[in-house]
Amino acid sequence: AYERTCRYFARQSNSVVVSVGYRLAPEHPYPTQFEDCLAATIHFMRTAQDYRVDPSRIIICGDSSGGTITAAVAQALVNRRDLPKLRAQILIYPFLQGMDFDLPSYQQNEGVPILLKERALSLGLKYLNIELSATKPAFKEFKGNHVPEDLLQKYRKWVSSDIIPPEFKRRGYTPSTTHSFSDEIYALVKPVFDTVFSPLLAEDSVIAQLPEAFILTCEYDVLRDDGLLYKKRLEDHDIKVTWCHLQEGFHGTVLLALCGALLAFQS
């Protein structure tokens, strides 16, 4: 599915593009995908000159869950002194946090194809090998009942609707009411707080060392606010961010737009 896209990027940017064929879930459980991408990145960084690539100009990139992995790999490399520093990271409508599924973008776009809110939640839980039937009773009301008070207080400065700029709340948003915490749900979904799954929850000491970023968000995408929140965190630590927002875009726009034989978009 991505070969055409990767060829386009290579041709248009005159760059060497390495596409990682990481092993897929559920046959290969999380975090295999992150580990494969990290291993491939490290290998390429060590052998870049064999491909006539300047090791100081390596950029990592991913879209959707690939954006999650990209952010996680960039974080994993910040303290490596045996490798060159990444030049940049490109995050295309990334999933970045499993704490708040009631942000404005989740409310506004819960029924917008391709990534409906329920599908986003179900794919995330399947990725973590969490049995959906166990969460089904609380599935549609997954509005913070999985977050204990200590984590709520710790993370709310990074993940909160209050941080989202007002212009992104005009299209139908209702502030959340308080929901009671469930020990049972928390025990079941605790892996969502792992920074490999939720890079937005990384400590400040890690965020402050990250490379320059390009972040693309789409207005009609449940993941829009993840990108907005990560943009703010990076900028708060003086990390340069180039931000592109597609006002008419939706999740999957980039891949579909580059598959011109299947679908065309009016410019």
Side-chain angles (χ1 to χ4, degrees):
Y2 282 87
E3 181 177 352
R4 186 187 184 104
T5 303
C6 290
R7 287 182 179 275
Y8 177 86
F9 286 158
R11 184 171 62 251
Q12 295 297 317
S13 63
N14 192 29
S15 301
V16 172
V17 173
V18 179
S19 181
V20 183
Y22 58 83
R23 290 170 290 175
L24 302 178
E27 293 81 7
H28 302 281
Y30 165 90
T32 300
Q33 298 69 34
F34 161 75
E35 292 168 347
D36 283 357
C37 289
L38 179 61
T41 303
I42 291 172
H43 174 74
F44 185 74
M45 295 177 96
R46 286 174 171 163
T47 60
Q49 292 179 329
D50 295 345
Y51 301 91
R52 299 181 181 179
V53 171
D54 181 346
S56 68
R57 299 182 67 187
I58 295 173
I59 299 170
I60 57 176
C61 171
D63 81 321
S64 194
S65 59
T68 316
I69 297 174
T70 298
V73 167
Q75 292 181 5
L77 294 174
V78 296
N79 290 315
R80 293 290 297 258
R81 302 292 176 247
D82 58 324
L83 297 169
K85 292 290 185 182
L86 285 173
R87 172 64 184 84
Q89 55 181 323
I90 297 175
L91 311 177
I92 301 172
Y93 32 73
F95 173 92
L96 295 170
Q97 58 85 30
M99 176 183 162
D100 191 341
F101 299 108
D102 204 37
L103 293 168
S105 62
Y106 271 103
Q107 288 191 22
Q108 296 163 346
N109 304 308
E110 63 178 349
V112 176
I114 297 174
L115 191 63
L116 286 71
K117 176 179 178 178
E118 186 165 342
R119 179 168 175 77
L121 293 176
S122 109
L123 288 174
L125 294 173
K126 284 181 179 179
Y127 181 49
L128 294 173
N129 297 305
I130 296 172
E131 179 55 49
L132 285 177
S133 60
T135 62
K136 202 65 178 178
F139 194 66
K140 291 185 181 296
E141 293 299 323
F142 206 18
K143 296 182 178 180
N145 56 347
H146 65 301
V147 187
E149 185 62 27
D150 61 329
L151 293 185
L152 185 65
Q153 295 303 321
K154 177 179 180 179
Y155 295 138
R156 72 189 325 164
K157 62 181 180 291
W158 304 329
V159 184
S160 171
S161 296
D162 295 339
I163 306 172
I164 303 298
E167 58 266 31
F168 294 101
K169 300 177 184 178
R170 294 171 186 158
R171 192 170 48 85
Y173 164 65
T174 303
S176 301
T177 56
T178 303
H179 290 265
S180 58
F181 169 66
S182 167
D183 282 303
E184 183 180 2
I185 296 295
Y186 170 66
L188 187 67
V189 304
K190 192 175 180 179
V192 304
F193 299 105
D194 180 354
T195 55
V196 169
F197 184 81
S198 295
L200 184 53
L201 304 183
E203 297 295 332
D204 285 337
S205 59
V206 173
I207 298 293
Q209 299 182 71
L210 287 171
E212 178 180 347
F214 173 91
I215 300 175
L216 184 142
T217 55
C218 293
E219 178 62 26
Y220 298 97
D221 181 8
V222 292
L223 303 183
R224 180 197 69 201
D225 293 348
D226 283 23
L228 296 179
L229 292 172
Y230 206 53
K231 171 180 178 290
K232 184 179 187 307
R233 277 210 77 192
L234 292 173
E235 290 175 337
D236 285 349
H237 288 277
D238 297 321
I239 307 298
K240 183 180 178 182
V241 177
T242 301
W243 174 50
C244 175
H245 182 65
L246 303 182
Q247 189 61 43
E248 302 298 325
F250 55 89
H251 197 84
T253 290
V254 171
L255 177 62
L256 292 173
L258 293 178
C259 292
L262 300 176
L263 186 65
F265 289 87
Q266 190 174 27
S267 60

